[in-house]
């Protein structure tokens, strides 16, 4: 499988190269040259298989050539063996036609573990095979950083730098990143928002001399391998509710558009999906875009679902590429316009293509808290604030009641105790795997939202810096 950039001016790469590169050199995002399709029989054949077996079947077409199936199976076993639920991503039924897909049974209690655990092993394996090292730079709204620390700590070929917005993530999220004690993990609080962190990462990636000197690599959802890993649970969930013989809909709490884009990929691969619902919190750029056709960021506001406090939704570019008929000239035009004017408008045909699959809903803070409280009371289910945004959006846009609605439960409530207590009057139970992070000694640095400061910080600490070579 070859991968091409959405902006059409970077070389096409194979899976291993895309895995290590992250962002394309023309500023675009890598996508497969064409979508592999699973037949109805192949999809039906996933029924009753383990998560690891399903993962191999769904991911093999994207990896083919880089990894034999047996080796991929061993890697997937290793990655998903760390999950505490035997189903890895169990479905929980709340109502006759409403389901939750629990994605928080991994080591850091958010869905990011599903892709990151796999990525840690895949990247480490590739680097060692090539005798190389890499510097991973990640912007995080909280959960990506924690998942990356857990996946990359102690891996010799890798230095990990995670940038999080100072004071804008939950203390549990911060502690998961700052208590690893690993020498190759560097946790950085940036005085700014998540969008600032993401812009810093992009600026350093676009500094090609720095990028090459430090072998920069990205594990944000701009990295294709993350999207790929996330398509798996769309298949397992849909198949357990009757796919390919019955359609299902998914409602996805969304920030950077990575997780829900994985649902779109599953659909492109042949999974019969009726609708994909984009659930946003008050940072509603995606809901406004689907409503009006105009993509225009507003200032970020802090909410109870901080992992979605995002206005620059990176992976939306991958959807635009599809909606524009894979025309990379059009994507460059949109992105250039965006860089100069701060917004862009979709053509009617592009908006229609998006609306044929996606619906969107904005859920404000009061609705989020009310949803946590009502599902706690009526269904005895304690949803985290991100999941609650999804539940509220699904309730508003239920649509065809004969089609099962699956809401993605993206985090465990214990990561957001303050919001849970405010909504329900009591604190969530803290699972054992979070206890250690909460009591460990913290170690992180605080710096300005300035690319030069970040560059100097990395240069002073990376094993790839000439002065620090070990
Ligand atoms: C990252 C995250 C999201 C948003 O996922 P995207 O792929 O950025 O859209 C939602 N909920 C939680 C708990 C997250 O950590």
């Amino acid at each position: 499988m070859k991968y091409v950039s959405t902006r059409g001016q970077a070389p096409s790469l194979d899976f291993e190269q895309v895995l290590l590169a992250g962002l394309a050199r023309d500023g675009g995002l890598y996508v497969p040259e064409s979508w592999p399709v699973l037949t109805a029989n192949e999809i039906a054949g996933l029924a009753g298989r383990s998560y690891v077996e399903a993962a191999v079947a769904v991911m093999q077409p994207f990896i083919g050539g880089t990894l034999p199936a047996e080796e991929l199976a061993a890697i997937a076993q290793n990655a998903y063996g760390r999950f505490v639920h035997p189903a890895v991503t169990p479905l929980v039924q709340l109502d006759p036609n409403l389901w939750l897909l629990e994605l928080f049974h991994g080591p850091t209690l958010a869905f990011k573990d599903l892709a990151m655990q796999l990525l840690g092993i895949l990247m480490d394996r590739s680097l060692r095979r090539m005798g190389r090292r890499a510097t991973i730079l990640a912007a995080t709204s909280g959960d990506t950083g924690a998942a990356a620390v857990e996946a990359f700590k102690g891996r010799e070929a890798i230095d990990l730098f995670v940038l999080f917005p100072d004071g804008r993530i939950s203390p549990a999220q911060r502690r998961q990143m700052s208590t690893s004690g690993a020498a190759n993990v560097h946790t950085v609080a940036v005085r700014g928002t998540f969008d600032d962190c993401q812009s810093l990462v992009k600026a350093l990636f676009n500094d090609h001399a720095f990028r090459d000197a430090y072998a920069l690599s990205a594990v944000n959802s701009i990295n294709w391998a993350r999207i790929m890993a996330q398509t798996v649970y769309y298949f397992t969930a849909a198949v357990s509710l009757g796919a390919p013989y019955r359609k299902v809909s998914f409602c996805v709490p969304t920030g950077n558009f990575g997780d829900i884009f994985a649902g779109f990929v599953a659909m492109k691969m042949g999974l019969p999906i009726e609708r994909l619902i984009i659930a946003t919190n008050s940072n509603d750029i995606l809901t406004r875009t689907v409503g009006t056709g105009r993509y225009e960021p507003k200032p970020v506001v802090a909410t109870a679902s901080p992992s979605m406090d995002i206005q620059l939704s990176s992976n939306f570019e991958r959807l635009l590429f599809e909606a524009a008929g894979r025309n990379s000239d059009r994507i460059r035009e949109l992105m250039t316009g965006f860089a100069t004017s701060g917004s862009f408008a979709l053509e009617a045909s592009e908006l229609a293509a998006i609306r044929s699959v996606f619906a969107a809903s904005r859920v404000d803070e009061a609705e989020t808290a009310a949803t946590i409280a009502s599902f706690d009371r009526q269904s005895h289910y304690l949803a985290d604030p991100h999941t609650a945004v999804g539940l509220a959006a699904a309730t508003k846009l239920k649509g065809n009641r004969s089609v099962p609605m699956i809401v993605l439960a993206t985090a465990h409530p214990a990561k957001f105790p303050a919001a849970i207590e405010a909504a329900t009057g009591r604190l969530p139970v803290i699972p054992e795997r979070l206890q250690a992070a909460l009591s460990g000694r913290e170690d992180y640095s605080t710096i300005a939202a300035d690319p030069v400061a970040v560059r100097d910080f990395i240069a002073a600490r990376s094993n790839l810096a000439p002065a620090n070579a070990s």
Side-chain angles (χ1 to χ4, degrees), residues 245-263:
Y245 312 112
R246 183 161 77 147
K247 282 192 166 189
V248 298
S249 289
F250 289 94
C251 178
V252 187
T254 306
N256 230 343
F257 208 75
D259 204 7
I260 194 165
F261 188 75

Side-chain angles (χ1 to χ4, degrees), residues 373-388:
S374 71
F375 277 92
D376 179 39
R377 217 171 35 241
Q378 285 157 29
S379 310
H380 306 290
Y381 192 91
L382 196 56
D384 100 286
H386 304 77
T387 305

Side-chain angles (χ1 to χ4, degrees), residues 293-305:
R294 187 165 196 82
Y295 182 90
E296 186 167 30
K298 289 186 181 168
V300 177
V301 298
T303 72
S305 46

Side-chain angles (χ1 to χ4, degrees), residues 109-112 141-144 173 221 226 230 252-260 307-308 310 313 315 384 386-387 410-412 416:
L109 301 91
F111 86 86
K112 305 294 199 295
S141 52
D143 294 326
T144 293
Q173 288 179 309
S221 50
R226 277 197 46 199
Q230 290 168 197
V252 187
T254 306
N256 230 343
F257 208 75
D259 204 7
I260 194 165
S307 301
M308 310 196 299
I310 294 174
S313 197
N315 280 289
D384 100 286
H386 304 77
T387 305
T410 52
H412 191 289
F416 306 96

Side-chain angles (χ1 to χ4, degrees), residues 208-224:
H208 288 179
F210 184 81
R211 175 177 181 162
D212 292 341
Y214 288 88
L216 282 196
S217 188
V219 295
N220 280 102
S221 50
I222 54 179
N223 190 311
W224 164 256

